[in-house]
Amino acid sequence: MVKSVVSMKIKMLTQLYSFILMSCLSITSVASPIDKHDKIISAIPLASLLLAETKDTSGISIRPDQLLVPASTLKVVTAYLAIKRWGLEHKFYTDFYYLDGVLWIKGFGDPYVTSEEMLLMSAALKTLKLGKISAIKVDNTYFPELRLDGRGNSDNPYDAGNAALVVNFNTLFLEKSGKGVSSAEAQTPITPLALRLGSKLALGKKRISLPGGRDMAARYFAEVFSKLHFKRNLTVSVAQLPKSAKFVYRHQSSKALSELLTVMLKYSNNFIANQLFLMLPETSEKQAVLNVQAAQKNYTALLQREFDFKGANFVDGAGLSRKNQISSQQLLQVLEVFKPWIDLLPERRKGLKVKTGTLSDNHSLAGYVVDKNQQWQPFVLLINKRMPSDYRFQVAQALLKL
């Protein structure tokens, strides 16, 4: 009887031990949602993933110090520097002058002059008692003739050039039919330059950027303003503002910097990003940004001074150039201090506010993921390799499950 009882106890203990062992094995065998991505990213030499450790979440660190091409995730850095430089309420401006029947317009790089904004300019000018105007002259000397690395030669909108005086992000939306060329947007009139460029297009609608040269951008600005304000094509030309011209009006943009940055980050607007990049150096109204190198040096110096960046390289503010280099650790530093302005970033998916970075061989992602305590945590994923474009969001979804 005693032997039977002992045997039963031993059997029960054995079963209990087996149950505990199986439970432990079951727990340890449950893979973290990020595990498979950890292996994939670790196997890519030019890739990095970084998620800071918190009291509730284990951090992830794969090549945090390797310098990589950020592509358009760099726009978050540009946004941060712009906020530091001007503040969210800052508004860019355009100046108007009058001299001997000529309306002069001088540009100072406002990145958000649209056809609608021109109507606001026109309404303000109509309240002034100017003399007869027979011509428009535009001064674009605030920017030098320039070209940033990474900008292609195509007529696609993402290749639009930068200049001191531009309208509609230096692009035209045209429609060509059997009847000829017309504007493809009601708010923008057709102009002589638009007709000439449109004649080369195939039938249909297409948005194009203006081909190189700041003079062409300024000339198109003047043509659009002429049709909107005067309802006709006045003679337009590009020249330097004479000292004898009388200042009559400064048009402050209706858009504050916060709105510009929201558009830039949501639509990855290269034009806005590089306009800001070029204007970041401190200059006077009478002094043009000296050159592209000055803007590059200033951008790099600002980041070195605040974050002590080592080895990073920046040649444009949009992320178009493959010469840009930054580590995930450096980009995470910027994201940490960018938290007060997190709402400038689009929420691409629930719990995910990010900026994508895309080139043919670049599928990156940087921003914030919400944790189990509903707190936004910064992360950086830089992949300098051809990948399925949605892979970065698979990684982000896995981060959401941590």
Side-chain angles (χ1 to χ4, degrees):
M1 182 70 176
V2 173
K3 186 176 182 180
S4 176
V5 171
V6 171
S7 178
M8 286 180 64
K9 287 184 176 179
I10 291 173
K11 185 177 181 181
M12 289 175 64
L13 288 170
T14 301
Q15 289 175 337
L16 178 62
Y17 174 78
S18 296
F19 174 78
I20 293 172
L21 180 62
M22 291 301 292
S23 296
C24 290
L25 288 173
S26 175
I27 292 171
T28 57
S29 65
V30 175
S32 166
I34 199 66
D35 282 356
K36 71 171 185 178
H37 299 298
D38 189 304
K39 293 178 181 178
I40 292 172
I41 296 165
S42 295
I44 302 172
L46 297 179
S48 173
L49 175 61
L50 185 60
L51 175 70
E53 183 176 354
T54 69
K55 63 179 182 179
D56 298 309
T57 307
S58 298
I60 302 169
S61 182
I62 303 173
R63 303 186 190 91
D65 299 316
Q66 181 168 345
L67 294 172
L68 295 166
V69 179
S72 282
T73 62
L74 186 63
K75 289 184 173 75
V76 178
V77 180
T78 301
Y80 174 70
L81 293 178
I83 294 169
K84 293 278 288 184
R85 166 77 163 84
W86 292 293
L88 288 179
E89 300 307 312
H90 179 77
K91 294 184 177 182
F92 294 97
Y93 59 84
T94 304
D95 283 351
F96 292 79
Y97 295 77
Y98 178 79
L99 178 65
D100 298 333
V102 176
L103 179 68
W104 285 84
I105 307 174
K106 183 173 175 64
F108 291 97
D110 185 350
Y112 213 117
V113 177
T114 59
S115 300
E116 294 88 345
E117 193 70 32
M118 276 193 171
L119 289 174
L120 297 178
M121 295 177 178
S122 174
L125 282 176
K126 288 176 181 177
T127 65
L128 305 177
K129 295 182 179 180
L130 301 178
K132 182 180 179 181
I133 296 173
S134 58
I136 298 176
K137 292 189 178 183
V138 286
D139 182 331
N140 58 3
T141 55
Y142 188 61
F143 277 23
E145 190 77 28
L146 55 84
R147 186 178 188 85
L148 289 164
D149 186 73
R151 196 185 125 226
N153 294 314
S154 78
D155 63 0
N156 288 310
Y158 53 75
D159 279 331
N162 295 93
L165 199 60
V166 293
V167 62
N168 296 329
F169 314 111
N170 215 11
T171 66
L172 302 81
F173 192 27
L174 304 175
E175 180 175 11
K176 186 177 181 181
S177 66
K179 297 180 180 179
V181 178
S182 60
S183 174
E185 51 192 18
Q187 69 272 28
T188 305
I190 196 70
T191 75
L193 178 60
L195 288 170
R196 188 166 80 246
L197 296 176
S199 66
K200 303 174 184 178
L201 299 178
L203 297 180
K205 294 181 180 181
K206 186 178 182 181
R207 183 173 290 279
I208 64 172
S209 63
L210 287 178
R214 65 181 186 185
D215 283 3
M216 187 172 285
R219 180 177 292 276
Y220 182 59
F221 181 104
E223 288 184 358
V224 175
F225 187 81
S226 177
K227 288 294 289 289
L228 287 174
H229 184 69
F230 298 100
K231 310 301 180 185
R232 64 186 189 277
N233 294 315
L234 294 185
T235 300
V236 303
S237 58
V238 182
Q240 188 166 356
L241 179 73
K243 292 182 179 180
S244 55
K246 179 185 177 183
F247 172 78
V248 294
Y249 172 60
R250 168 164 290 179
H251 181 79
Q252 297 278 354
S253 175
S254 66
K255 306 293 185 184
L257 180 65
S258 59
E259 295 173 87
L260 271 66
L261 296 180
T262 298
V263 170
M264 181 187 81
L265 294 170
K266 181 177 181 179
Y267 299 105
S268 203
N269 189 297
N270 296 320
F271 173 80
I272 292 177
N274 278 332
Q275 286 284 101
L276 297 175
F277 173 80
L278 291 163
M279 292 191 293
L280 278 171
E282 297 280 353
T283 58
S284 68
E285 292 180 9
K286 296 180 180 179
Q287 176 190 5
V289 175
L290 297 179
N291 50 49
V292 171
Q293 289 72 32
Q296 293 168 343
K297 183 178 180 180
N298 174 72
Y299 196 95
T300 302
L302 290 172
L303 294 169
Q304 286 179 341
R305 186 160 57 245
E306 182 165 355
F307 301 104
D308 194 29
F309 280 5
K310 295 289 190 287
N313 188 54
F314 307 102
V315 299
D316 82 315
L320 287 171
S321 176
R322 286 178 171 82
K323 294 180 181 179
N324 292 312
Q325 294 275 299
I326 192 172
S327 71
S328 58
Q329 179 61 55
Q330 291 167 337
L331 188 47
L332 194 80
Q333 285 180 262
V334 177
L335 287 167
E336 288 282 9
V337 297
F338 193 75
K339 278 185 177 181
W341 307 288
I342 186 174
D343 288 336
L344 293 174
L345 282 166
E347 189 164 10
R348 293 291 298 267
R349 299 184 184 183
K350 187 172 177 58
L352 192 65
K353 293 190 175 186
V354 292
K355 180 69 197 77
T356 56
T358 308
L359 297 169
S360 61
D361 55 355
N362 193 310
H363 299 280
S364 300
L365 200 64
Y368 306 86
V369 61
V370 73
D371 65 16
K372 63 183 70 175
N373 295 319
Q374 299 303 301
Q375 299 297 310
W376 292 100
Q377 301 300 336
F379 77 95
V380 178
L381 172 64
L382 300 176
I383 301 179
N384 291 183
K385 181 182 183 297
R386 290 179 183 271
M387 297 283 286
S389 61
D390 192 56
Y391 176 70
R392 53 193 160 185
F393 286 103
Q394 294 178 34
V395 177
Q397 286 297 125
L399 293 177
L400 278 169
K401 297 176 183 178
L402 292 178

